[in-house]
Amino acid sequence: MRAFLFPGQGSQAVGMGAALAEASQAARDTFAEVDEALGQNLFRLMREGPEEELKLTENAQPAIMANSLAVFAALTKEGGVDFAKAANFVAGHSLGEYSALAAAGSFDLPTTAKLLKLRGQAMQRAVPVGQGAMAALLGADLELARRIAEAAARGEVCTVANDNDPTQVVLSGHKGAIDRVVEIAKEMGAKRAIPLPVSAPFHCPLMQPAAEAMRDALSYVMVGDPVVPVFANVTAQPESDPDTIRNLLVEQVTGMVRWRESVANMGEAGVEEFVELGGKVLGTMVKRILPDVKVTSVVSIEDLEALAKEIA
């Protein structure tokens, strides 16, 4: 069995998608369709930068999705891969869940781009710059991360945002609390805590205004039945019901990304091969969770052609 994975924020880089677009008409069409939907030359920003502008949440989120779905389009339209037959499950990390849902046919591409642009803007607006922060705990499991978060909170918000793999958990909340996390993490048993270069504290209760914005936006959107089940971030379970998917996307804004559990549960369901489209971050996490599975990262046209030859 095979699962396709779609990366989240942090996978953006100036130059992303440029070589793929040169080699693939389907990729070029994807980037053009996203640009048209947003009324923005996002692909030029992806190709040329500046990096500071690309890193802005409202740009990074649709850009990462566009890159993943350009790979997906080239694989399915030009590589001859029948996605419904090739995939048993899909999953995406945070914003990547939208990419996964688009690949599975629950959203069309313009809708996905607009939702992620709005999501990025709403997340940025939810907490004034400088008031929130995030830190990655290395050498810490979920239980230790929760103890560190509780000790650092001191009346402020400090919660687990991402349970990524057995050795990496991300905390999110008020800046003061996250500063305390960095101070106390080592003495509490973590290898170290690294402040993350993010502009807002994602996946914590401070994001509630953004969750309400997404609830409103998603209420107007048609959610189709996915052609394969989508493992949801907040349940770590396969979901296929459109109304459930809609509600879980709202919960996801403030909820913990249960990535470690999602991957482990896919493994228990029989998945032996994981294919990451448009990035190389999730594959590393997968190998820490399930060391014996096959992991393939598809970024370049060469990666894509090799995979298409294998599974088409």
Side-chain angles (χ1 to χ4, degrees):
M1 293 176 73
R2 186 185 293 112
F4 283 78
L5 308 179
F6 296 83
Q9 206 152 335
S11 299
Q12 71 277 359
V14 173
M16 64 193 296
L20 183 65
E22 282 183 22
S24 165
Q25 181 64 50
R28 289 195 292 279
D29 291 345
T30 299
F31 293 128
E33 195 172 351
V34 169
D35 280 358
E36 187 177 348
L38 297 180
Q40 172 189 5
N41 199 333
L42 182 65
F43 187 46
R44 185 170 68 193
L45 178 61
M46 292 163 65
R47 285 196 321 269
E48 302 170 12
E51 187 181 0
E52 287 308 307
E53 198 176 330
L54 180 61
K55 276 198 316 194
L56 291 174
T57 302
E58 66 173 85
N59 292 326
Q61 294 200 20
I64 292 162
M65 177 277 299
N67 191 54
S68 288
L69 290 183
V71 173
F72 173 79
L75 186 67
T76 53
K77 293 177 181 175
E78 295 166 348
V81 172
D82 182 337
F83 192 66
K85 288 181 181 173
N88 299 96
F89 301 107
V90 291
H93 192 282
S94 190
L95 80 89
E97 193 164 329
Y98 285 79
S99 309
L101 285 162
S106 288
F107 294 135
D108 62 31
L109 184 59
T111 298
T112 312
K114 289 172 185 172
L115 284 171
L116 283 175
K117 184 76 174 177
L118 174 69
R119 185 176 181 269
Q121 290 170 335
M123 285 176 145
Q124 192 60 71
R125 278 198 305 266
V127 180
V129 173
Q131 290 189 18
M134 299 178 77
L137 295 175
L138 303 184
D141 61 12
L142 182 58
E143 186 185 340
L144 176 58
R146 283 181 165 146
R147 289 205 303 274
I148 293 170
E150 194 177 334
R154 298 185 200 170
E156 292 189 305
V157 169
C158 188
T159 60
V160 175
N162 305 346
D163 178 16
N164 283 335
D165 66 42
T167 67
Q168 187 196 101
V169 180
V170 176
L171 301 184
S172 181
H174 284 111
K175 187 177 187 307
I178 297 300
D179 287 346
R180 288 189 288 276
V181 165
V182 175
E183 288 170 19
I184 68 173
K186 199 165 184 179
E187 66 192 55
M188 287 191 68
K191 192 182 287 182
R192 58 182 169 142
I194 303 172
L196 297 180
V198 293
S199 53
F202 306 133
H203 300 292
C204 81
L206 296 175
M207 287 285 112
Q208 190 56 39
E212 295 305 326
M214 292 313 296
R215 186 188 308 279
D216 182 57
L218 285 159
S219 71
Y220 295 100
V221 168
M222 175 75 180
V223 182
D225 293 311
V227 296
V228 294
V230 181
F231 264 78
N233 284 182
V234 295
T235 63
Q237 295 296 328
E239 308 290 351
S240 293
D241 176 67
D243 287 334
T244 302
I245 288 168
R246 190 193 312 271
N247 292 334
L248 291 176
L249 287 175
V250 176
E251 287 182 43
Q252 190 224 57
V253 179
T254 56
M256 177 173 76
V257 175
R258 294 166 63 179
W259 189 252
R260 176 185 57 81
E261 290 175 82
S262 295
V263 172
N265 289 344
M266 282 185 264
E268 280 190 25
V271 174
E272 297 173 325
E273 181 181 0
F274 291 82
V275 179
E276 180 179 3
L277 296 184
K280 296 191 174 182
V281 175
L282 300 181
T284 307
M285 294 179 193
V286 169
K287 287 299 265 186
R288 291 196 195 112
I289 302 162
L290 299 172
D292 296 331
V293 298
K294 181 179 179 183
V295 172
T296 306
S297 294
V298 182
V299 177
S300 68
I301 194 71
E302 291 80 14
D303 298 337
L304 199 149
E305 286 170 348
L307 180 66
K309 194 177 290 183
E310 184 186 322
I311 66 176

